[in-house]
Amino acid sequence: MRAFLGWFMVALSGFFVIAAISDLVSGTSGEAGPGVVAGMAVFFAIVGVLGYRLAISKTPQSIAQSPEQRILALAKQLQGRVTLAEVVLHCQLEVEQARSLLKELVRKGLAELHLSDQGDEVFMFGGFAPETKETAKDPLD
């Protein structure tokens, strides 16, 4: 949505800048006068530049995320269970890189490796499973 709005601003302001320059060149600025038309051209040029910056900007969430953070965000979205194929697709990682990162997360204790009935590897992130928080108990009990 953010990119669409930015490109819309660029297109709309581009139209007004061209119209203003056309009026200035042809001398048909009407009652507004050339100063007002030139001011509008500058204003819409600035709006166009800001729209362009908005269109190409990345969301703060996607700027500094490491591959591990993207995997964890996907696991959270999928309620704590992800497959290798899901990680490759949604996190834009190569297969071997995704496999290596998932195994590293298992090694660090953030995930557990399970096998589905079909033999597929499913990585379980217990911290994101809904039942994990519901069944939590005080460690001193």
Side-chain angles (χ1 to χ4, degrees), residues 61-62 64-78 81-99 101-102 105 123 125 128:
Q61 196 174 36
S62 66
Q65 282 193 337
S66 69
E68 284 181 343
Q69 289 171 322
R70 293 194 313 258
I71 292 171
L72 290 171
L74 178 64
K76 181 178 180 183
Q77 180 183 351
L78 299 177
R81 296 181 170 108
V82 297
T83 63
L84 177 63
E86 289 171 329
V87 170
V88 169
L89 177 65
H90 296 288
C91 297
Q92 292 101 24
L93 298 171
E94 298 294 324
V95 173
E96 289 307 315
Q97 182 184 17
R99 181 177 283 124
L101 287 167
L102 285 166
L105 291 170
F123 294 87
F125 292 81
F128 298 129

Side-chain angles (χ1 to χ4, degrees), residues 109-132:
L110 292 172
E112 295 176 356
L113 177 58
H114 294 260
L115 291 177
S116 71
D117 293 339
Q118 295 79 22
D120 295 322
E121 293 180 337
V122 178
F123 294 87
M124 308 284 282
F125 292 81
F128 298 129
E131 62 272 4
T132 299

